[in-house]
Amino acid sequence: MTSRGRALLALTLAACYARPAPQPITPAMVAAWTRAAPAGDARPPPDWRFTADAAVAFALHHAPSLADRRDDEAIAAARIDAARQLTNPALHVGQSFDDALGGDRTVIAIRVAPDAPWTRSARIAEARAGYEVARVESVGAARALTARIHEAYARLAFGEATVALIDRARHALDERRRVLAAQVAGNVATRLEAVLAEQDAAELRAEASAIAVELDRTRAELAALIGIPPGQAWTATWD
């Protein structure tokens, strides 16, 4: 390669890799690209006693199901910055010999694919749209999580109330069984009545056990939804 060809190549490369001055970042751009922090306190309540509202506030910061959404938002925001970068130029250098000149000269062909601003604008618009999609999906996931937490609290409240009613019924049935036992001993009541009372008591115990299992399952589900660390003791409370 001749000295003139090397100089031409150097000038071309310098022109291709020149970057324009960066555009100033406006507050509107920051607001559009930066995800706002979720509402609520990220700290657990005292003694880890969670009302439904406290559980939702804690979950917005710690729920595993929302962590992936936040990562998606961060990736989408980074893609906006990546789309704003100029593309690297494509440089092709061809070398051939001119037989008509005795083969002692080299022809250097330089082809450069310059950055196209119109394609960059399209990439930025696409990246911004992707970020908006990720942000909307995050909002939808937070709303769905809130609904699931409140629904689980409603199941807990209903289950606990049902257990309380069963306990009252069992106390009443125990008194009935005591009276029937005395009546059977005095030949005032039949043995069949006592057997039926025992059967009713067994059914109440089975129902209470089934509800207790369901309540434990609901509490475990809530702990996972809220993002409570494994092994951490906590209590769900409601009015």
Side-chain angles (χ1 to χ4, degrees), residues 24 56 58 82 112 136 139 165 195 232 237-238:
V56 169
F58 188 81
V112 178
V136 170
V139 173
L165 289 176
V195 170
Q232 172 64 51
T237 63
W238 53 87

Side-chain angles (χ1 to χ4, degrees), residues 8 17 36 52 92 112 117 131 134 145 149 158 167 169 188 205 232 234:
L8 178 60
Y17 281 92
H92 303 276
V112 178
Y131 173 79
L145 178 63
I149 290 174
F158 180 78
D167 286 341
V188 178
R205 287 194 296 271
Q232 172 64 51
W234 70 288

